[in-house]
């Protein structure tokens, strides 16, 4: 076989290899095999210098033509293959936008928080400010400033967690009354929601629970203002039909003190077998009273000029009643089967 014939043969071998090259990687192999540095065609070109002048011209021309033809075939085949590869990739990665989405679990407010928000909304609507304070409280704010000095028998009623000398986990939100009054001059209108702690655990007591404190101090406030305000709050939280009643009670920092009940919003007092009020017709709701003049003096307010009322309620208890939950401990166990019901 002459060199020219061999060139023709190499060229047609290369062209048929290119025609059946199925991928970009195949085509690259073919390029190396037929046009690479140690390809036969390249060797032929390198040897041209050793040929006679006639052959040199002939072989030079035909080998160059063969190279160019193979290059051109590779180029156009590479375009075809690349387009097909892209098409395949697009198909493989295609997303079906009509498939249903993956549902994202949606949370909601805790039942206690629903009541807290509801109560706060009501008071904010009346112009009250929201104030929050520390859960680790000094003995002074939690007890002494509220008329419960060291050694006072009322201290034993509060099942206190003592943290350190002079520090307690607050047993009530009432210390916020003192903090608020020390920080500003009257008039005062605040509500103070927050966590409180007592060493207590049974179906209606948990060591951590919530309270919402309310305090109003202004000129001329009376028990009538207190009753009117709390009645409106009860209707806001439990429904238009509910009534309230106040009973005499005793707290060290209010005088007179009252406890407030709401009429059973389930049976309205008409069902002796009612599960919510147990036939009593009334539900205990909160403690309240007129701020004791001694407390006003303690914070430097003049009790001859100002009077005030205060109240403290348990939103967890209110939520138990509102949603008919028999055991308060369920609220804080974090069991989703329970919490999803609200
Ligand atoms: N802090 C009292 C308690 O926990 C409730 C209360 C608050 C009573 C404000 C009167 C005024 O029992």
């Amino acid at each position: 076989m002459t060199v020219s014939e061999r060139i023709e043969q190499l060229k047609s071998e290369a062209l048929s290899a290119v025609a059946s090259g199925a991928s970009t990687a195949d085509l690259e192999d073919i390029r190396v095999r037929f046009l690479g540095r140690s390809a036969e065609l390249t060797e032929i070109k390198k040897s041209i210098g050793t040929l006679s002048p006639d052959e040199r011209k002939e072989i030079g021309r035909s080998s160059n033509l063969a190279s160019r033809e193979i290059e051109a075939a590779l180029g156009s085949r590479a375009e075809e293959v690349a387009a097909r590869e892209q098409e395949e990739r697009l198909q493989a990665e295609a997303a079906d936008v009509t498939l249903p989405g993956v549902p994202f679990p949606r949370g909601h407010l805790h039942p206690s928080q629903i009541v807290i928000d509801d109560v706060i909304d009501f008071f904010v609507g009346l112009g009250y400010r929201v104030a929050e304070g520390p859960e680790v409280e000094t003995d002074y704010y939690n007890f002494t400033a509220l008329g419960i000095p060291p050694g006072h028998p009322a201290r034993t009623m509060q099942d206190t967690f003592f943290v350190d000398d002079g520090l307690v986990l607050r047993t009530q939100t009432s210390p916020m009354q003192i903090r608020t009054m020390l920080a500003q001059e009257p008039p005062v209108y605040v509500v103070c929601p927050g966590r409180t702690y007592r060493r207590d655990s049974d179906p209606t007591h948990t060591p951590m629970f919530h309270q919402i404190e309310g305090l109003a101090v202004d000129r001329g406030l009376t028990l009538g203002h207190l009753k009117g305000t709390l009645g409106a709050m009860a209707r806001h939280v439990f429904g238009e039909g509910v009534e309230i009643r106040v009973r005499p009670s005793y707290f060290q920092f209010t005088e007179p003190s009252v406890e407030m009940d709401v009429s059973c919003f389930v049976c309205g007092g008409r069902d002796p077998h009612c599960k919510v009020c147990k036939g009593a017709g009334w539900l205990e709701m909160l403690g309240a009273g007129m701020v004791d003049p001694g407390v006003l003096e303690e914070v430097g307010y003049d009790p001859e000029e100002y009077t005030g009322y205060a109240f403290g309620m348990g939103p967890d208890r209110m939520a138990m009643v509102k949603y008919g939950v028999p055991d308060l401990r369920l609220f804080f166990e974090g069991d989703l089967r329970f919490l999803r019901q609200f």
Side-chain angles (χ1 to χ4, degrees):
M1 194 191 298
T2 65
V3 177
S4 294
E5 282 168 351
R6 181 61 187 151
I7 291 173
E8 278 305 306
Q9 199 178 35
L10 284 170
K11 187 179 81 177
S12 64
E13 263 177 45
L15 291 179
S16 74
V18 169
S20 59
S23 70
T24 305
D26 273 1
L27 292 175
E28 193 46 39
D29 287 347
I30 293 166
R31 178 190 302 281
V32 171
R33 182 142 57 92
F34 291 97
L35 301 175
R37 253 184 298 145
S38 45
E40 197 177 336
L41 195 55
T42 312
E43 295 297 335
I44 292 172
K45 286 178 180 174
K46 281 187 206 154
S47 68
I48 284 175
T50 65
L51 302 174
S52 68
D54 279 355
E55 276 180 320
R56 204 182 287 176
K57 194 174 165 204
E58 166 60 21
I59 302 300
R61 207 177 59 86
S62 62
S63 61
N64 276 334
L65 277 176
S67 297
R68 255 184 271 152
E69 226 177 298
I70 296 168
E71 277 294 355
L74 275 168
S76 64
R77 180 68 184 152
E79 271 177 37
E80 277 169 40
V81 167
R84 214 203 42 239
E85 283 172 346
Q86 160 134 334
E87 185 58 32
E88 280 168 7
R89 224 176 14 251
L90 287 177
Q91 298 230 319
E93 291 168 7
D96 181 352
V97 296
T98 65
L99 283 175
V102 180
F104 190 78
R106 199 166 70 156
H108 62 76
L109 293 177
H110 187 279
S112 294
Q113 193 64 44
I114 294 173
V115 171
I116 292 170
D117 287 355
D118 214 12
V119 170
I120 288 176
D121 276 355
F122 171 78
F123 284 104
V124 166
L126 289 186
Y128 284 60
R129 192 165 61 77
V130 178
E132 285 176 306
E135 292 170 29
V136 180
E137 187 52 282
T138 65
D139 183 294
Y140 174 75
Y141 287 125
N142 196 78
F143 291 124
T144 305
L146 291 164
I148 316 175
H152 193 289
R155 285 200 174 204
T156 54
M157 288 173 59
Q158 297 223 355
D159 297 310
T160 311
F161 288 108
F162 292 93
V163 177
D164 205 348
D165 227 14
L167 290 180
V168 300
L169 293 189
R170 67 178 175 191
T171 60
Q172 49 187 350
T173 43
S174 300
M176 280 307 290
Q177 293 184 27
I178 307 297
R179 288 181 174 275
T180 305
M181 290 190 284
L182 285 175
Q184 70 166 91
E185 291 300 316
V188 174
Y189 290 91
V190 286
V191 275
C192 315
R195 284 185 278 268
T196 47
Y197 302 85
R198 293 188 198 185
R199 286 174 44 233
D200 234 355
S201 187
D202 64 45
T204 54
H205 295 88
T206 50
M208 188 288 296
F209 58 105
H210 296 91
Q211 282 195 347
I212 305 174
E213 194 80 8
L215 174 70
V217 182
D218 208 338
R219 291 192 176 87
L221 290 182
T222 69
L223 201 59
H225 295 111
L226 173 62
K227 273 181 74 176
T229 304
L230 293 180
M233 181 210 69
R235 288 190 293 279
H236 175 82
V237 175
F238 293 108
E240 266 315 304
V242 306
E243 287 173 40
I244 62 160
R245 72 175 182 189
V246 293
R247 292 178 284 109
S249 185
Y250 178 74
F251 300 101
Q252 290 71 29
F253 41 93
T254 48
E255 179 59 38
S257 301
V258 297
E259 260 169 64
M260 187 188 93
D261 302 336
V262 294
S263 62
C264 180
F265 54 89
V266 174
C267 74
R270 282 180 297 276
D271 178 2
H273 306 294
C274 175
K275 284 208 183 66
V276 172
C277 70
K278 313 219 159 48
W282 295 94
L283 299 160
E284 286 182 26
M285 194 89 314
L286 53 79
M290 300 307 291
V291 180
D292 192 294
V295 172
L296 295 177
E297 268 167 13
E298 182 75 23
V299 298
Y301 286 10
D302 180 358
E304 296 300 327
E305 189 176 356
Y306 294 103
T307 54
Y309 56 79
F311 48 88
M313 66 191 96
D316 311 314
R317 296 281 188 89
M318 293 161 77
M320 278 176 85
V321 168
K322 181 165 175 157
Y323 297 113
V325 178
D327 193 326
L328 181 60
R329 292 172 295 197
L330 287 167
F331 279 25
F332 306 118
E333 282 168 353
D335 188 332
L336 289 175
R337 291 169 304 179
F338 171 73
L339 294 171
R340 283 202 178 105
Q341 298 176 46
F342 298 92

